[in-house]
Amino acid sequence: MDEGLKRELEAKVYAGERLTRVDGEALYASDDLAWLGRLAHHRRTELNGDRVMFNVNRHLNLTNVCSASCAYCSFQRKPGEKDAYTMRVEEAVRKAKEMEGEQLTELHIVNGLHPTLPWRYYPRVLRELKAALPGVNLKAFTATEIQWFEKISGKPADEILDELIDAGLESLTGGGAEIFDWEVRQKIVDHATHWEDWSRIHRLAHSKGLRTPATMLYGHIEEHRHRVDHVLRLRELQDETGGFTVFIPLRYQHDFHDSADGKVRNRIQAETTMASPAESLKTFAVSRLLFDNVPHVKCFWVMHGLSLAQLSLNFGVDDLDGSVVEYKITHDADAYGTPQTMHREDLLTLIGDAGFRPVERNTRYEIVREYDAPVPLAQRRAEPQQVWA
Ligand code: SF4
C-alpha cells in the first residue's frame, strides 16, 4: 500500500473517523498485517481496554434434518438418512442439564429447517429448558429459522417472536447471514432468507428489546469487497437500532470427515480453500475498524483453533465463545485437533496467558464475574502490548 494512503487511514483511525467502503477495501488490500493489527488493537483497546469477555455456554442442535441444502453445509441431513436425528423435548432438556455443574449461563440453540416438526414444538422446548435451567439465558434460532416458523405456522414474525419471548427467548443467534451480497449468496445459500428478511427479523427483535449477534461466513468464494459490503450493511442497521451486541466472523470450513455414509456434503469444497490464519487475522482487524458501532468482535475458537484465537486478541477481538460442547453446524470435527469442549478454567488460562484480563459475561454482555489481570496492571504496558513489539 502507498505510504501516503497508509498515513491517511491511520490518521482517520486515531481521530475516530468513520471509515468508508473504499477505506475498507484498501485495508484488505494491505499486506502489512502487523500494521492492521496495531490499528485494530488501538480501536479495540479504546472500546474494551484489556478485557476479554467469554461465556460458559452449551450449543444444542435440536435436529439436523433440513429442507434446505446450502452448498457449504455439512450438518444437514434429509429425512430418513442414516444419521438424521431430531430430539424429543425431554432429550434436549437432559442434554442441557448435563452441564449444570459448569455453572452454565447460556444455551445456544440452532437447528435445521425440519419439514414436518410443528411450530408448537419450538416454544415448548424453550419453556421446558427455562423451567429446568431457570438461570440460563436462551439464545436460540437464526433469522432463517424465524422465517421458516412464519411459513410453517402461518403467523408473522411479530407474533412468532412474542410467543418465543414469552417462552423464555432472550436473544436470537446471528446465523443465516453468510455473505449478504447476492452475487455470492445465490451460489452458497439454499434457504429463503436473504438480506431483506434477515435485517427485517433482527430489526424486529431489536424493537422488542432483544439484543442479537451478527455473523459473516468468510473464506469461501467471496472476495474482500463482499466482506466490506456485508459489514457496511450491518453498520447501517446498527446505526438505526443499536441492537447488535457483537460481530462474529466465522471461518468457512471444509468437511474433514463425514458421517457413516461417507458423503461429503459440502458442494463447494473442490473450488475453495479455507482462509489462512493470516487472512483470518486480517478479517478480524478490518471488521473491528469498519464496524465501528458494534461493541464487541468475537472469535469463535472452534472454527479458528486455539492458537489463532489467542492471536486474534491482538487483532481487534475482545470476546471468545465459549465453553462449547457438541458444535456441529459447519464441522463435525476438524483436522487441526481443535477440541470440541473448553471449560471455564481452560478459557481463563487461554486469555490470561495471552496477557489479557478475563471477564465472564452473560448473553446480554452483562458482567457475571471479573477475574484478576494475569500481571498487576501497574507492571503492565502503558500502551497495548503487540505480539511483534
Ligand atoms: S446452513 Fe442451515 S439452512 Fe442451510 S442447509 Fe445447513 S442447516 Fe439447513
Side-chain angles (χ1 to χ4, degrees), residues 66-70 72-73 75-76 111-113 144 178 191 329:
C66 189
S67 302
S69 300
C70 298
Y72 66 86
C73 180
F75 171 70
Q76 53 87 14
N111 319 288
L113 311 175
T144 310
E178 291 99 8
H191 56 70
I329 290 287

Side-chain angles (χ1 to χ4, degrees), residues 43-104:
R43 183 65 186 136
R44 168 251 198 272
T45 308
E46 274 186 336
L47 288 168
N48 294 296
D50 66 346
R51 297 191 309 187
V52 173
M53 292 194 144
F54 71 95
N55 66 345
V56 179
N57 67 4
R58 175 167 190 135
H59 283 226
L60 258 189
N61 307 123
L62 300 169
T63 179
N64 63 354
V65 176
C66 189
S67 302
S69 300
C70 298
Y72 66 86
C73 180
S74 55
F75 171 70
Q76 53 87 14
R77 299 289 185 273
K78 298 304 166 210
E81 276 197 66
K82 203 169 176 181
D83 47 2
Y85 74 87
T86 301
M87 289 183 196
R88 293 193 317 279
V89 175
E90 304 69 36
E91 195 181 346
V93 172
R94 183 181 55 73
K95 276 198 161 274
K97 284 185 71 106
E98 279 170 16
M99 260 187 71
E100 250 184 327
E102 289 274 343
Q103 297 170 328
L104 180 72

Side-chain angles (χ1 to χ4, degrees), residues 263-315:
K263 276 189 201 163
V264 172
R265 287 176 170 76
N266 180 333
R267 298 195 308 280
I268 50 173
Q269 186 139 316
E271 52 182 302
T272 50
T273 53
M274 288 168 53
S276 69
E279 186 62 28
S280 293
L281 293 175
K282 182 184 272 190
T283 303
F284 285 122
V286 179
S287 300
R288 177 61 285 172
L289 292 167
L290 212 51
F291 204 163
D292 55 13
N293 52 0
V294 76
H296 304 285
V297 173
K298 179 192 287 186
C299 176
F300 183 46
W301 58 260
V302 176
M303 283 184 172
H304 293 91
L306 299 181
S307 312
L308 192 71
Q310 267 193 326
L311 276 175
S312 74
L313 302 178
N314 284 281
F315 285 79

